[in-house]
Amino acid sequence: MAKVVVDAMAMQRALTRITYEIIERNKGVDDLVILGIKTRGVYLARRIASRLQQLENVTVPVGDLDITSYRDDIEHDADRDPKVSAANINFSVAGKKVILVDDVLYTGRTIRAAMSAVMDLGRPKSINLAVLVDRGHRELPIRADFVGKNIPSSQRERIKVSVSEIDDRDAVEIQQA
Amino acid sequence: MAKRYLILEDGSAYAGEGFGAGATTSGEVISSLNLLGYQETITDQIYHNQIIIFAQPAIGNVGINHDSYESILPTAKGMVVRDVTNISTNRLSRLSLDEFLQQHNIPGISGIDTRYLVRKLRKMDGPVKGSIVDVADAHAFDQLNATVLTNRQVDQVATPKPYPNPDTGKNVVVIDFGLKHGILRQLSERRCNVTVLPWTASAQDVLNLDPDGVLLSTGPGSPLDLGEGVLEMIRTVQAEIPLFAIGLGHELFALANGAQLAALPVEYHGSSHPIRRIITNDILYATQGQGYAVIGKSIDRDRLITTYVDLIDGTVQGLRHRDYPAFSVQFFADGAPGPHESRDLFDEFMESMTAREG
């Protein structure tokens, strides 16, 4: 059984608000780079970048972070941490204000791995985290700076984010396991 | 019905049939291009002391119902229409338009070529005074020319005392400049626990109530006549609390943040202009009613971001502060009367309050 908790309109609004909050927090868009965590974080990152482009007429670099081995929301991999690769990023992050973008923030392990991958590339001025959904159950001391929606969830539930670029629609659903 | 006249300050007179109250009134003559929502229009306090010309030719055909009041005591000075209908089959109708206007002592005049008048008003620069009178003689014109239009509209229609509209959700303070009820309805739908404060409230009055959000309402007249105090209040409050401003509230929000305003040559009241939402580059329609517009070039881009723009006349339709969750729209996001597609700005306001809580 699936329940839609964020519909297409609400997802658009959430990304719009996150974009404005990024401008508020960073006092503009200078030195900003946006890194999306695959798969859906990449599309969210591009949408935020396109909004910044619309508002500020500035092209903010967008890169992909690839989760290479396993995902932390799949039960049998729970004892191994995810690995994130920054191999696709062809610009420098040194001295930049990095915005990491992911669809769901859960244990925090992916984000920790993503931060390591970014810092292997260079020394950013700062790293902020933007997520569409924060579902709780953190296992590491990590929190998001920009949250689309807080969805307190049970660990038995699955949060499914759909984006229209690769799915049939924009939505966030809760599925009972 | 009695023969009556609409007279304008340029010396022209238009004969028609009186309806509603038999009163003789004077006011600023403006035109509404909205196809729908005459009840919302006539009861909206932005039309305080104005005589409204309706471009839509058939007015009165849904009566007056309890759902469509934008204020309970209308203070418009008259309705000018092509055809007035007093028969309604709307199930919600409780009164005919004629009865309603009689009860509130507002005159109407029908049988006027309103579309001609709309075009004529566009050519007459600046506010145009007019009267609805029984006899269009020299005396009537003398009276009209001697009429001085007030610039204290907000004082006349905004609440002088605070009042609550309790619910169980977010604490929202509404600053009343002559608000339309649609704003309160949208907040009620979202379960907001609302306190309405008079527009003279200080920042301290607002902060004492510990609100989650503050809304600056619509209202009549010029934002330039309200003084520095209210701008000071806005500057203090926006730095502390998520803020959403509509209509006159938007104009004041712009002024408070250094932008300048210009009076439009002709007030615009309608809902047919496409409005571009810049951030997502899409189009929406909304009910608009404005006599002033923010001058785009005067906007300090280090303080404000332009968020919406009217694609017909190029006016700034929305702003957002760069440093705070504070935003505004010129158009009426409550969609009363419709279109309704900008109502989710109230959701955006709710979500900015939630985001603030963390």
Side-chain angles (χ1 to χ4, degrees), chain B residues 89-357:
Chain B
T89 54
N90 186 310
R91 69 186 172 85
L92 294 176
S93 176
R94 285 290 168 273
L95 283 175
S96 72
L97 177 59
D98 185 60
E99 290 168 309
F100 178 74
L101 293 183
Q102 284 181 34
Q103 287 178 13
H104 294 285
N105 202 32
I106 297 172
I109 183 166
S110 68
I112 303 282
D113 184 351
T114 54
R115 291 179 178 186
Y116 165 77
L117 277 180
V118 168
R119 290 197 300 275
K120 181 186 167 82
L121 280 182
R122 278 187 196 148
K123 291 179 204 139
M124 297 171 71
D125 216 15
V128 175
K129 284 187 292 184
S131 289
I132 295 174
V133 295
D134 293 327
V135 187
D137 57 6
H139 175 70
F141 282 102
D142 286 346
Q143 290 280 320
L144 173 59
N145 291 329
T147 302
V148 178
L149 298 177
T150 172
N151 65 351
R152 307 301 300 171
Q153 292 102 319
V154 170
D155 281 333
Q156 312 226 346
V157 298
T159 183
K161 281 187 188 171
Y163 60 89
N165 186 22
D167 210 316
T168 53
K170 300 254 186 275
N171 271 322
V172 173
V173 165
V174 174
I175 308 292
D176 179 13
F177 298 97
L179 63 83
K180 61 209 297 294
H181 287 187
I183 290 171
L184 296 179
R185 285 191 200 101
Q186 291 303 312
L187 293 173
S188 281
E189 245 172 55
R190 291 163 181 78
R191 310 307 305 262
C192 292
N193 181 40
V194 172
T195 308
V196 180
L197 293 186
W199 73 274
T200 48
S202 67
Q204 192 62 56
D205 295 336
V206 175
L207 298 175
N208 284 348
L209 294 169
D210 199 13
D212 300 308
V214 172
L215 192 150
L216 309 179
S217 86
T218 54
S222 166
L224 305 170
D225 294 333
L226 298 179
E228 185 59 28
V230 65
L231 305 183
E232 198 56 55
M233 179 276 287
I234 293 170
R235 281 191 287 267
T236 307
V237 167
Q238 72 184 7
E240 306 278 330
I241 297 162
L243 180 137
F244 178 27
I246 306 174
L248 184 67
H250 154 85
E251 293 161 9
L252 292 165
F253 174 69
L255 279 179
N257 288 295
Q260 288 165 9
L261 293 170
L264 295 175
V266 180
E267 290 203 8
Y268 172 63
H269 299 272
S271 49
S272 58
H273 286 191
I275 299 166
R276 189 163 78 95
R277 176 163 36 211
I278 292 171
I279 192 165
T280 45
N281 199 25
D282 55 357
I283 301 294
L284 56 85
Y285 288 86
T287 299
Q288 294 169 277
Q290 59 185 108
Y292 290 81
V294 176
I295 301 171
K297 278 185 284 187
S298 73
I299 294 170
D300 177 358
R301 285 189 45 85
D302 290 337
R303 288 163 88 181
L304 296 174
I305 305 173
T306 304
T307 54
Y308 291 84
V309 64
D310 185 314
L311 291 182
I312 300 290
D313 58 21
T315 53
V316 174
Q317 291 290 320
L319 292 169
R320 187 178 181 103
H321 203 285
R322 258 182 199 283
D323 300 331
Y324 315 117
F327 61 100
S328 67
V329 287
Q330 178 80 66
F331 53 83
F332 301 144
D334 57 310
H340 297 167
E341 60 205 63
S342 56
R343 279 185 178 167
D344 82 327
L345 278 155
F346 284 89
D347 295 313
E348 200 173 322
F349 181 44
M350 299 298 293
E351 287 155 5
S352 72
M353 292 188 255
T354 306
R356 185 75 161 198
E357 287 164 7

Side-chain angles (χ1 to χ4, degrees), chain A residues 9-10 12-17 19-21 23-25 27-29 50-52 54-56 147-148 150, chain B residues 276 278-281 301 305-307 320-326 341 344-345 347-348 351-352 355 358:
Chain A
M9 289 265 284
Q12 295 291 345
R13 275 200 310 276
L15 291 171
T16 291
R17 179 171 47 75
T19 305
Y20 285 126
E21 286 174 359
I23 295 173
E24 279 167 32
R25 179 77 62 91
K27 307 285 173 214
V29 294
S50 106
R51 282 165 160 77
L52 289 170
Q54 284 289 335
L55 286 176
E56 303 283 49
V147 181
N150 284 300
Chain B
R276 189 163 78 95
I278 292 171
I279 192 165
T280 45
N281 199 25
R301 285 189 45 85
I305 305 173
T306 304
T307 54
R320 187 178 181 103
H321 203 285
R322 258 182 199 283
D323 300 331
Y324 315 117
E341 60 205 63
D344 82 327
L345 278 155
D347 295 313
E348 200 173 322
E351 287 155 5
S352 72

